[in-house]
């Protein structure tokens, strides 16, 4: 146990903290390299209305916005102030929804994104890996061959194209599902069976889009990995020894081909925190992706920064958790 802590767990924790530190630092630096000042942009939007504004009021507004954005003082002072606010959980107010805090806006949108993108990502991963290993181990099964051809055809298609096709077919031609939103207009979100069914009805097409496109990638990846494993000596020996395929496939083949797919899952789960932008825009889904687009269009500096920070922490945390699960999946890591 002590060896595991010193050689595996503690280095992973240090690596996790370093990744977050570097990511947050880069997120702090990049916006300040932009030739456009968010303060001057906002003042330009206000003064472009044509109304007469006192120059003293404009100067006072400039000072207030500079302080609010954390742009006062030297770059080093800004950096330490930035970390101070971040450690307190203060991401500042959203300018487009002033004075609502950024953390509150992201907190409202995040459950919608997590509920659909997380579930769709996991389901696509499970189904893709399952059918991928079966298609590789049983290449003559006709049904698996059909799934193989279909996944190869869908995988190169951008998922926004798949989203539009599903929207046209199942919301317009066959009006089985709604066009947009996460629930009916006028409905108040609540913990009830009626609202849950309404939410699942609205989430069906967005989830189907993510599952169809994600399934193809996981299927092809797992099939390629499995094709290398089934020729290994331990698999051939197990088959020669008469072990049933229902034991060989999960214990000898799938488990040894799974590690790269687990790593890929960690990366995909991390990006869940930034939302599926185009999917949410196409379906009008009120998640973090749609919130990101609104922040860009409204030049909401604080909101864009807040979403970026959540994404950085999400990716780093997902990879960190997957790293901790490796010893459970691969005995070689545990013994090292």
């Amino acid at each position: 146990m002590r060896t595991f802590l010193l050689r595996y767990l503690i280095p992973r924790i240090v690596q996790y903290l370093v990744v977050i530190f570097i990511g947050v630092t880069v997120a702090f630096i990049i916006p300040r390299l932009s030739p456009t000042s968010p303060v001057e942009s906002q003042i330009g939007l206000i003064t472009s209305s044509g109304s007469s504004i006192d120059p003293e009021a404009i100067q006072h507004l400039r000072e207030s916005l500079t302080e609010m954005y954390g742009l006062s003082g030297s770059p080093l002072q800004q950096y330490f102030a930035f970390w101070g606010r971040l450690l307190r959980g203060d991401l500042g107010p959203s300018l487009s929804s002033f004075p609502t805090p950024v953390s509150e806006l992201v907190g409202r949108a995040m459950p919608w994104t997590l509920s659909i993108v997380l579930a769709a990502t996991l389901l696509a991963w499970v189904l893709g890996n399952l059918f991928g290993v079966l298609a590789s181990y049983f290449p003559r099964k006709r049904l698996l061959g059909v799934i193989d051809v279909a996944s190869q055809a869908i995988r190169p298609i951008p998922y926004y194209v798949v989203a539009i096709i599903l929207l046209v077919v199942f919301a317009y031609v066959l009006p089985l599902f709604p066009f947009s939103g996460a629930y009916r207009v006028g409905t108040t979100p609540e913990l009830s069976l009626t609202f849950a069914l309404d939410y699942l009805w609205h989430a069906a097409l967005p989830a189907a889009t993510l599952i169809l496109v994600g399934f193809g990638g996981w299927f092809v990846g797992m099939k390629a990995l499995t094709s290398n494993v089934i020729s290994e000596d331990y698999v051939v020996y197990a088959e020669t020894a008469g072990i049933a395929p229902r034991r060989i496939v999960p214990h000898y083949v799938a488990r040894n081909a799974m590690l790269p797919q687990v790593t890929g899952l960690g990366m995909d789960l991390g990006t869940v925190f930034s939302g599926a932008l185009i999917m949410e825009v196409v379906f009008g889904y009120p998640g973090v992706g749609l919130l990101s687009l609104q922040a860009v269009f409204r030049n909401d500096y604080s909101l864009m920064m807040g979403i970026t920070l959540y994404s950085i922490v999400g990716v780093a945390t997902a990879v960190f958790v997957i790293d901790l699960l490796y010893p459970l999946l691969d005995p070689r890591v545990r013994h090292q």
Side-chain angles (χ1 to χ4, degrees):
M1 184 64 181
R2 182 179 178 182
T3 303
F4 173 76
L5 289 175
L6 293 177
R7 294 187 178 181
Y8 193 84
L9 182 58
I10 293 179
R12 294 303 186 278
I13 294 175
V14 173
Q15 184 183 35
Y16 168 70
L17 296 176
V18 170
V19 168
I20 291 180
F21 174 78
I22 294 175
V24 172
T25 301
V26 171
F28 169 84
I29 294 173
I30 289 180
R32 286 161 174 78
L33 299 178
S34 172
T36 303
S37 169
V39 174
E40 297 302 327
S41 297
Q42 295 303 324
I43 293 177
L45 289 175
I46 295 172
T47 56
S48 63
S49 60
S51 57
S52 178
I53 303 177
D54 183 54
E56 293 185 3
I58 294 178
Q59 181 59 30
H60 179 69
L61 176 62
R62 180 179 286 107
E63 294 173 356
S64 299
L65 290 175
T66 300
E67 183 65 29
M68 183 181 71
Y69 280 133
L71 298 176
S72 59
S74 66
L76 188 60
Q77 291 173 331
Q78 294 177 29
Y79 181 70
F80 285 116
F82 171 77
W83 271 106
R85 293 193 306 271
L86 187 62
L87 293 175
R88 296 194 304 269
D90 180 14
L91 299 176
S94 167
L95 193 60
S96 59
S97 303
F98 190 84
T100 308
V102 168
S103 56
E104 183 177 335
L105 290 175
V106 177
R108 292 176 190 171
M110 188 66 73
W112 300 107
T113 293
L114 291 179
S115 62
I116 187 170
V117 182
L118 184 62
T121 300
L122 290 174
L123 187 57
W125 184 82
V126 171
L127 293 177
N129 285 309
L130 174 62
F131 284 101
V133 69
L134 292 176
S136 180
Y137 194 78
F138 302 104
R140 298 182 180 180
K141 296 287 184 180
R142 182 172 300 178
L143 177 60
L144 295 175
V146 172
I147 295 175
D148 190 357
V149 173
S151 65
Q152 294 280 6
I154 295 176
R155 187 173 68 94
I157 302 176
Y159 71 87
Y160 62 85
V161 175
V162 177
I164 294 174
I165 293 173
L166 292 179
L167 195 61
V168 170
V169 173
F170 294 104
Y172 181 73
V173 179
L174 302 174
L176 301 176
F177 299 98
F179 278 95
S180 64
Y183 48 85
R184 295 178 188 269
V185 177
T187 303
T188 302
E190 59 182 1
L191 293 175
S192 66
L193 179 60
T194 302
F195 179 78
L197 293 176
D198 186 39
Y199 167 73
L200 292 175
W201 183 50
H202 282 76
L205 291 183
T209 301
L210 297 174
I211 291 172
L212 283 175
V213 179
F215 173 85
W218 295 120
F219 177 91
V220 172
M222 190 59 177
K223 185 180 177 183
L225 292 168
T226 304
S227 63
N228 295 324
V229 174
I230 58 178
S231 60
E232 295 288 342
D233 292 341
Y234 54 85
V235 177
V236 175
Y237 180 81
E239 293 172 339
T240 305
I243 299 177
R246 66 175 181 271
R247 288 186 56 84
I248 294 176
V249 171
H251 297 288
Y252 291 81
V253 179
R255 186 173 181 180
N256 288 283
M258 187 67 68
L259 292 181
Q261 299 292 82
V262 172
T263 302
L265 175 64
M267 298 299 294
D268 269 19
L269 291 180
T271 58
V272 164
F273 291 89
S274 59
L277 175 60
I278 301 179
M279 181 277 292
E280 293 183 6
V281 172
V282 171
F283 291 101
Y285 194 80
V288 178
L290 186 60
L291 186 66
S292 303
L293 185 67
Q294 293 171 351
V296 172
F297 281 158
R298 298 172 183 175
N299 198 26
D300 194 332
Y301 179 86
S302 299
L303 186 54
M304 288 187 284
M305 176 69 75
I307 294 173
T308 301
L309 294 177
Y310 272 99
S311 180
I312 290 170
V313 174
V315 173
T317 302
V319 174
F320 173 68
V321 171
I322 293 299
D323 265 352
L324 295 184
L325 293 178
Y326 264 152
L328 301 177
L329 301 172
D330 191 350
R332 292 171 297 183
V333 177
R334 186 164 58 247
H335 290 308
Q336 289 174 358

